[in-house]
Amino acid sequence: MTTGCSRALLVGAYASQMLFCVATLLAAEPKANGAPSKAAATVTRPRPKITISKETTYLTEPLRADGMVDYVAAVNQRFSAGVTPENNAAVLFLRALGPKKIDRNIRKTFFKHLRMAELPDEGEYLIPCEDFLQTRMGWKVPGGDTPDDLEKTQQMADKVWRACHVPWSNEEYPFLAELLQANVRPLRLITEGSQRSRFYVPLISTKPGSFRPLVMLTGLPWATEQLAARATWRLRNHQLDLAWDEVMAGFRLARLTGRGPFVVDSLLAVRCECQVFPAAIALAQYGVITVGLARRWQAELHNLPARRSLVDALGYGCRLESLAITSSAAERGYQRPNALAKVGLPPDPTFKAMFGLDEVHQRAYQLYSTDPRIDWNEALRYVNVWYDRLVAACRQPSYRRRRDALMQLAAEAKRRGGQALQRASLPLNSPMRDDLFTALVKAIKKDDRAARAAKKGDLRWLYEIASKRDAEARKETEQAVRRASLPRDLTPKQIAQHFVDLVLGPDWEVGEYMLKPDIEEQARMSLLDLALALAAYHHDHASYPKTLGELAPKYIADIPCDPATDRALRYRRWIGGYRLYSVGPNGKDDGGRNFHEEVDATGRVGDLSWDDIAIRMPPRNYSKQ
């Protein structure tokens, strides 16, 4: 659970996808080695007395040369066990994507870990839609050189999106046909890689104590999008089995990437799966599905490898990351990284407030981490206590109970973080932050330009909103930072706990949102199972059943429940069709509506609370969206 990822999750499901690239950058930045701010001073400190034990460091080996736990080596040892270049899917994925997203300073070490030759910069690598369009149109920058170019890019992206939902032909989308032809080799490597049994991407430590999930294969959603488009193209050309092979390659890829050690790995996997799911549903909606074919495909879905459980990701990977952050802060002080510069945005204090990078928190981190009274062993123990509680919450028997338990922990984490700021004589929040979130939500819902920008993840537009906030609020923040100090009556234990509450508490505040990817994945797979069964039933009877119970056991072994409620999935039949849906993570029946899909003719999205996951027959007319 990385800090940057949690910031994105806090905005909600819609904004989490919109801000995915920033979340990834934050996950990839060194947690304790960012550029110093005006508030933070360089300090020379004695070596902290940290006890190596289960209660503090959690692991007691392997150890670095300085006697501290080497968390990077521990993660690499665990996740590389039994991995070879021949069974590691990441090897072929990298050959398909190329090395450009990998920092040159660590490439040699990175590829050595994988026991593969370093890849050249130039090669026959996967070309994203936007890059292909840039080359074809002769633009200087991705997305185009003018506003009209940007509009063309958006129109092309819309066509690709529609092509993932319905059968299409070369005549309808010649640009997409050319793109898929140009990517034949990389997509073949992606498909071959998806058939491998393991997935391992090493962590790289560039400094003692640094913990860097530095390399994430963020180009994989481009691959799954193109696999989905190729599946619906094959469907149009009556290649049903080959279309299903494309879909399964995308699903296997998503499951493999979701077996990484961190929650952010699951987010990447969910994004990949979401690209493929519409194509899988299109096969059930438009294909000729017999009962034998439906049962065979259902069996293949059930045999997909499982993603790493949330309990394991929290209890091991995210715990170790948090312990590494805390240990590194003990040695060198703590500063949150600045990922904004890496996406070309100026270090504006207001925009930084979206991600907790504001001067208020930076000053608080500096005060607590450099106070000579702090007990770093207590800080580590406190981290473990919190992760034990998070794991216990995630082990509750139902989604509702897991969500409620995490919501209680989130409220406690927020309260304790506020107390830490108050004890340092700092305001509870940057004065701009709540107004900024409110403005973003309202703009996305009501403004056409905002909705389009949000759909594309247009960070520069978000910065435009942020830069218009009241300058007086910044002045208040600067004055508060200058006055901040810690009281003398704080105990070493309190200082340690307040530091952890500030640095890691924001992650715990959004714990309930970590459940959404799991519950949505389960719902999608249950719906796909039933959609195949319904298609086979319609093939035999020329109509759909009155109830889902009529499908078992011939068309499906068992009728799955809605994982969000542990009750029956919603099924409404009408003449010539049906609506089948899960009520989604909010547990509320929104009539099968999801704000992502309920887009009117002006491009405005629906109610942001709608989160049902639905399948419809006849299918939507996506050409009008």
Side-chain angles (χ1 to χ4, degrees):
M1 174 171 36
T2 63
T3 302
C5 178
S6 298
R7 296 302 184 194
L9 282 169
L10 181 58
V11 187
Y14 192 83
S16 70
Q17 293 190 16
M18 175 178 69
L19 301 174
F20 183 85
C21 59
V22 170
T24 302
L25 284 168
L26 285 169
E29 282 286 300
K31 299 293 182 179
N33 300 312
S37 69
K38 295 178 181 179
T42 301
V43 294
T44 302
R45 62 182 66 212
R47 181 173 177 78
K49 296 179 180 179
I50 291 180
T51 302
I52 307 298
S53 70
K54 175 73 173 177
E55 292 73 26
T56 53
T57 55
Y58 190 71
L59 300 180
T60 57
E61 58 180 4
L63 301 179
R64 304 196 312 251
D66 60 5
M68 299 294 289
V69 173
D70 192 336
Y71 290 107
V72 170
V75 172
N76 285 336
Q77 286 177 11
R78 174 172 173 175
F79 286 87
S80 66
V83 173
T84 68
E86 292 71 35
N87 67 11
N88 187 5
V91 170
L92 291 184
F93 293 164
L94 284 163
R95 289 176 181 166
L97 299 175
K100 288 188 177 180
K101 296 291 185 180
I102 305 173
D103 188 335
R104 290 183 179 277
N105 295 325
I106 61 100
R107 282 189 192 178
K108 185 176 181 179
T109 303
F110 176 77
F111 285 109
K112 183 178 180 181
H113 270 282
L114 289 174
R115 289 180 281 170
M116 63 179 292
E118 187 172 340
L119 296 172
D121 280 333
E122 300 301 325
E124 195 175 345
Y125 301 130
L126 187 79
I127 307 171
C129 175
E130 190 175 86
D131 292 354
F132 189 75
L133 187 61
Q134 177 190 355
T135 301
R136 187 180 185 189
M137 302 300 291
W139 294 333
K140 295 179 181 179
V141 296
D145 305 330
T146 68
D148 288 341
D149 294 341
L150 187 61
E151 187 64 28
K152 291 178 183 177
T153 301
Q154 183 57 48
Q155 290 173 0
M156 194 59 62
D158 290 343
K159 290 179 180 179
V160 174
W161 181 84
R162 287 195 292 270
C164 293
H165 289 73
V166 296
W168 60 279
S169 66
N170 293 353
E171 292 71 28
E172 288 176 288
Y173 300 134
F175 166 83
L176 183 53
E178 292 177 31
L179 175 64
L180 294 179
Q181 184 60 38
N183 282 323
V184 167
R185 179 184 178 275
L187 288 177
R188 176 175 55 79
L189 290 172
I190 291 289
T191 301
E192 291 177 9
S194 73
Q195 296 170 348
R196 293 190 168 185
S197 59
R198 302 295 300 274
F199 179 82
Y200 166 65
V201 175
L203 297 181
I204 303 298
S205 177
T206 56
K207 295 181 180 179
S210 68
F211 195 91
R212 307 182 67 177
L214 187 64
V215 179
M216 292 185 63
L217 304 188
T218 53
L220 289 176
W222 301 332
T224 49
E225 179 182 63
Q226 293 185 32
L227 287 172
R230 200 161 68 176
T232 51
W233 177 85
R234 292 190 185 281
L235 178 59
R236 177 64 176 267
N237 288 278
H238 310 292
Q239 301 172 1
L240 198 58
D241 282 332
L242 291 177
W244 181 252
D245 290 343
E246 306 281 9
V247 165
M248 287 302 296
F251 280 142
R252 286 194 302 268
L253 179 153
R255 294 297 182 87
L256 285 168
T257 57
R259 300 175 81 175
F262 305 109
V263 172
V264 73
D265 296 310
S266 291
L267 291 179
L268 179 61
V270 167
R271 184 169 179 175
C272 291
E273 185 177 283
C274 287
Q275 302 277 28
V276 181
F277 182 69
I281 295 302
L283 266 64
Q285 292 169 325
Y286 296 96
V288 178
I289 310 297
T290 64
V291 62
L293 190 61
R295 295 308 298 266
R296 176 162 65 85
W297 287 0
Q298 289 166 350
E300 291 181 21
L301 289 172
H302 296 165
N303 289 329
L304 283 169
R307 284 196 291 113
R308 189 163 304 282
S309 71
L310 181 59
V311 167
D312 192 42
L314 282 174
Y316 188 79
C318 297
R319 181 198 298 265
L320 296 194
E321 182 180 14
S322 296
L323 291 171
I325 291 170
T326 307
S327 298
S328 181
E331 297 179 80
R332 292 185 295 277
Y334 180 84
Q335 279 195 294
R336 196 179 290 274
N338 177 16
L340 301 180
K342 299 194 76 172
V343 291
L345 294 170
D348 183 271
T350 309
F351 191 80
K352 289 192 293 183
M354 286 187 66
F355 305 101
L357 302 173
D358 55 284
E359 283 76 2
V360 170
H361 285 75
Q362 199 69 276
R363 176 60 171 160
Y365 303 147
Q366 187 261 341
L367 284 172
Y368 282 106
S369 66
T370 60
D371 193 299
R373 295 171 291 173
I374 189 170
D375 182 346
W376 287 107
N377 285 314
E378 175 57 32
L380 294 169
R381 281 192 290 268
Y382 188 59
V383 170
N384 282 313
V385 167
W386 263 100
Y387 276 100
D388 288 342
R389 297 177 69 189
L390 288 166
V391 167
C394 292
R395 283 183 169 147
Q396 292 295 314
S398 70
Y399 169 70
R400 291 293 143 209
R401 291 178 63 176
R402 292 192 293 274
R403 190 193 68 172
D404 291 346
L406 286 172
M407 288 178 67
Q408 291 178 9
L409 291 177
E412 180 182 342
K414 185 173 184 179
R415 175 177 57 80
R416 293 187 66 91
Q419 291 174 346
L421 288 174
Q422 287 179 323
R423 296 306 300 271
S425 301
L426 287 164
L428 290 179
N429 243 326
S430 169
M432 302 83 72
R433 186 180 302 177
D434 290 337
D435 290 341
L436 179 57
F437 280 133
T438 302
L440 287 174
V441 171
K442 288 182 178 179
I444 289 170
K445 189 173 181 180
K446 297 182 178 180
D447 184 84
D448 296 344
R449 175 172 171 257
R452 290 195 300 270
K455 181 178 178 182
K456 294 183 291 184
D458 190 341
L459 297 175
R460 293 186 181 279
W461 175 82
L462 297 179
Y463 173 73
E464 182 181 317
I465 287 183
S467 64
K468 294 179 180 178
R469 307 313 303 166
D470 187 6
E472 187 63 29
R474 302 185 191 184
K475 185 176 180 180
E476 293 176 12
T477 300
E478 293 170 358
Q479 292 174 347
V481 167
R482 285 195 294 270
R483 294 193 301 263
S485 63
L486 296 185
R488 295 182 178 180
D489 63 347
L490 283 178
T491 66
K493 180 177 180 178
Q494 288 174 322
I495 295 171
Q497 292 186 354
H498 284 331
F499 170 76
V500 173
D501 288 331
L502 283 170
V503 174
L504 302 174
D507 287 347
W508 304 329
E509 288 180 35
V510 295
E512 62 171 302
Y513 291 101
M514 295 183 300
L515 296 175
K516 295 182 70 175
D518 280 342
I519 213 70
E520 289 172 345
E521 179 194 60
Q522 293 173 38
R524 282 192 293 269
M525 288 301 160
S526 295
L527 292 171
L528 179 54
D529 248 3
L530 285 168
L532 293 171
L534 286 165
Y537 184 98
H538 188 271
H539 179 268
D540 289 349
H541 301 276
S543 64
Y544 293 104
K546 293 181 180 179
T547 66
L548 294 178
E550 297 176 45
L551 297 172
K554 180 178 180 180
Y555 299 97
I556 190 171
D558 299 293
I559 307 299
C561 292
D562 188 340
T565 61
D566 290 329
R567 298 177 181 176
L569 289 158
R570 277 26 176 206
Y571 174 69
R572 300 175 184 175
R573 186 186 72 156
W574 51 69
I575 297 175
Y578 65 84
R579 177 177 290 183
L580 173 68
Y581 63 97
S582 159
V583 299
N586 70 7
K588 182 168 64 74
D589 189 340
D590 298 312
R593 294 173 297 181
N594 188 296
F595 79 91
H596 284 289
E597 298 180 350
E598 300 298 327
V599 183
D600 63 21
T602 67
R604 292 176 181 166
V605 298
D607 189 311
L608 293 178
S609 69
W610 295 342
D611 70 351
D612 290 357
I613 305 169
I615 298 174
R616 297 169 177 82
M617 278 299 290
R620 286 178 174 275
N621 185 354
Y622 287 103
S623 64
K624 294 182 179 181
Q625 285 192 283

